[in-house]
Amino acid sequence: MSAAQLIRMRGALARALSTEDVNELGLRTGQSERLRTITPHRLFLSTVAGLAGGQVESLADLLREFNHHNDVTVAYKAFYNRLARPGFTKFMHQMFDRLLERLCIQTLAPEGKAAVSRFQDIVIQDGSSFALKHKLRDVFPGRFTTIEPAAVEIHATYSGFSDEVCSVQIAPDKEAERQFLPDPSTLQGRLLLADRGYPGVEYFEAVREHGGAFIMRLSRAHDPWVRTAWVDGKRIALSKPVWLSHFIAQNLNHRMDLDVEYERGNGKHKRMVGFRVIVLPGTEKTMTRLCTNLPRTPFSLELVARLYRFRWQIELLFKEWKSYANLHKFDTANEHIAAGLIWASLCAAVLKRFLAHAAQLVGGKPISTRRVAMCAGHIIDEIVTALLACVSIAAAFRDGMKFLLANARRSHPRRDRKTGRLRARLVVVGERT
């Protein structure tokens, strides 16, 4: 293990979970008015430890976790009242932002002079939703009002090079997704990947104007004019523009690389806006349609398709949140508790990812974030125990790194380069052979 990296990673974690800073944040957000038994620091650490461990089904589970870690006997009502105030949501939200700011590590980088090296990052936008208790339908209205009248969607912007989210927003599930896209001004020098719930021509133009790139999947509602076409690598002569839907119908189950134009405005203000669309055969009859502003050289059809498949990383992240960080519906009708526990679950997930990335840097070996998400609960528990006892976390952190390096390594690093997340010519930062 690298002693220098071990010290650096341990120091970053200790500073992020500083007793003084966390308590000050709790007072500032209104989570606490004074520091008594349920201090913000104690509440945060015990809650995150509980959510990072086994299945948590109720507030009583978190109360037992708090009493166990702090060797106290706080009553349920007193504990509930501390979580039911608006400050609890604000506190957990700001703790999540604090952890992201202080524990984010670059874990992937472009390989040499590969085409992807022109990007400062690969940004992925997506959302994941789940139901809440029905009584919250006025605060968090869902899309499916009969089946699940209350639901929340977590909108995440993910950094591919850091293998972690860089921002998260929580909103009612019924709200449209497009408004949660990253501001185009933040995408200069970056590549954005997004699914078909997000595309809009105005947004495409804005990203391009700000020096960003994008690959976004189109729905059938997008039907621009095809001006130039390559089908299975061969140029197809077009006597006149053809609607995208018609052209695809005429060339089903073939790979297409197309220059398209959207009509914008009316009358004398009418103009044409051009982009590139990749059409790929797949399981859907309408085929997969990817809109991009990447040039054909060096971004061939095959490379654009490989880059878009990298979007799957955010789906794996969502699965980890729900499977191993207790991101689910809690039996509470209090909006502050419901939202606060969502942020607390995300904090637990961030800590697990940090441990995975730290082990990767310390040991110089690729680490599986899923395996860490499954087994890191006891490591967090030991670190929390040390912090609450006001002793150094050095031993717990070192032992945790050793455990992860022995038990959470990626199974097939070579396969990752051929068919996995590294296919777009990415490498693991700090990997030592």
Side-chain angles (χ1 to χ4, degrees):
M1 292 196 298
S2 167
Q5 291 287 12
L6 184 67
I7 293 172
R8 188 168 75 90
M9 295 296 102
R10 184 187 70 216
L13 180 61
R15 288 188 294 272
L17 300 177
S18 160
T19 304
E20 294 77 12
D21 291 350
V22 175
N23 279 337
E24 180 183 350
L25 182 60
L27 293 170
R28 191 166 65 244
T29 56
Q31 192 282 319
S32 291
E33 297 177 358
R34 57 188 66 85
L35 301 179
R36 292 185 174 176
T37 303
I38 309 178
T39 67
H41 188 250
R42 289 176 173 178
L43 177 63
F44 177 78
L45 291 181
S46 67
T47 300
V48 167
L51 295 170
Q55 184 72 16
V56 176
E57 298 180 354
S58 66
L59 294 184
D61 293 331
L62 296 177
L63 171 60
R64 285 187 285 269
E65 194 77 24
F66 181 87
N67 286 338
H68 166 71
H69 274 291
N70 296 285
D71 195 21
V72 293
T73 54
V74 172
Y76 181 85
K77 184 176 181 179
F79 187 76
Y80 178 92
N81 289 339
R82 296 301 293 274
L83 272 59
R85 56 180 62 180
F88 177 64
T89 300
K90 295 178 182 178
F91 171 61
M92 285 298 180
H93 186 177
Q94 292 191 27
M95 278 302 302
F96 173 77
D97 291 341
R98 176 184 175 87
L99 294 182
L100 282 186
E101 178 185 354
R102 294 171 178 264
L103 301 181
C104 188
I105 305 170
Q106 182 172 353
T107 61
L108 297 178
E111 179 184 8
K113 297 182 179 180
V116 74
S117 65
R118 70 176 59 189
F119 303 125
Q120 299 173 25
D121 201 353
I122 299 177
V123 179
I124 308 174
Q125 177 71 31
D126 209 344
S128 181
S129 60
F130 58 92
L132 298 177
K133 197 166 184 179
H134 289 197
K135 292 182 180 179
L136 291 171
R137 59 183 175 273
D138 293 333
V139 181
F140 294 105
R143 286 175 291 175
F144 309 105
T145 55
T146 302
I147 303 172
E148 296 292 355
V152 65
E153 183 159 13
I154 301 174
H155 300 273
T157 304
Y158 170 93
S159 164
F161 289 180
S162 297
D163 192 24
E164 179 59 285
V165 291
C166 49
S167 67
V168 169
Q169 294 173 277
I170 296 175
D173 188 41
K174 70 176 297 183
E175 292 191 12
E177 298 174 320
R178 192 175 300 173
Q179 62 182 309
F180 298 100
L181 282 165
D183 190 298
S185 63
T186 66
L187 296 175
Q188 182 177 4
R190 291 168 170 79
L191 172 64
L192 172 67
L193 309 178
D195 206 357
R196 55 189 168 190
Y198 294 91
V201 180
E202 290 182 4
Y203 189 78
F204 293 164
E205 288 187 277
V207 172
R208 182 165 60 185
E209 289 171 2
H210 283 90
F214 64 87
I215 306 174
M216 302 179 77
R217 190 176 179 187
L218 298 179
S219 66
R220 286 179 294 175
H222 285 255
D223 202 12
W225 292 102
V226 177
R227 294 284 185 178
T228 313
W230 286 262
V231 177
D232 291 335
K234 297 180 180 180
R235 176 73 177 267
I236 301 297
L238 296 176
S239 58
K240 61 179 181 179
V242 181
W243 292 113
L244 176 62
S245 58
H246 294 172
F247 190 85
I248 291 176
Q250 295 166 5
N251 296 276
L252 286 176
N253 300 319
H254 292 277
R255 299 190 305 167
M256 303 169 225
D257 194 343
L258 313 172
D259 288 330
V260 304
E261 288 185 335
Y262 286 90
E263 293 182 3
R264 306 294 293 166
N266 296 304
K268 64 179 182 180
H269 299 294
K270 183 178 178 179
R271 60 191 177 91
M272 305 301 288
V273 181
F275 296 102
R276 180 183 174 197
V277 169
I278 303 294
V279 183
L280 303 169
T283 56
E284 299 182 22
K285 293 181 180 180
T286 55
M287 305 176 67
T288 299
R289 311 172 186 193
L290 306 176
C291 186
T292 183
N293 64 333
L294 293 173
R296 289 188 173 85
T297 303
F299 295 96
S300 64
L301 179 149
E302 291 79 9
L303 180 53
V304 171
R306 287 203 302 272
L307 286 170
Y308 187 74
R309 290 189 188 101
F310 188 74
R311 196 195 68 81
W312 190 247
Q313 296 304 309
I314 198 171
E315 301 291 353
L316 298 176
L317 179 76
F318 290 151
K319 181 174 177 57
E320 286 180 16
W321 286 357
K322 292 183 176 181
S323 298
Y324 310 117
N326 280 285
L327 185 64
H328 58 73
K329 175 171 65 175
F330 282 89
D331 186 19
T332 178
N334 183 285
E335 61 182 283
H336 307 303
I337 295 178
L341 291 180
I342 290 174
W343 290 115
S345 295
L346 297 180
C347 286
V350 169
L351 286 176
K352 288 185 176 185
R353 282 244 160 176
F354 169 75
L355 291 175
H357 297 158
Q360 189 165 282
L361 284 180
V362 169
K365 300 296 181 183
I367 296 294
S368 166
T369 56
R370 178 177 179 271
R371 289 180 177 178
V372 173
M374 294 171 66
C375 70
H378 74 276
I379 299 174
I380 292 176
D381 192 76
E382 291 173 3
I383 291 172
V384 164
T385 299
L387 288 169
L388 290 173
C390 298
V391 299
S392 172
I393 65 171
F397 189 78
R398 182 187 63 249
D399 293 344
M401 294 296 99
K402 288 181 178 179
F403 177 83
L404 295 180
L405 286 168
N407 296 279
R409 299 256 294 270
R410 293 187 72 89
S411 298
H412 304 286
R414 292 183 180 178
R415 186 178 64 186
D416 287 345
R417 300 185 184 96
K418 295 181 180 180
T419 60
R421 61 177 184 156
L422 305 181
R423 284 186 67 197
R425 299 285 300 278
L426 298 173
V427 295
V428 176
V429 174
E431 182 178 8
R432 297 189 290 274
T433 56

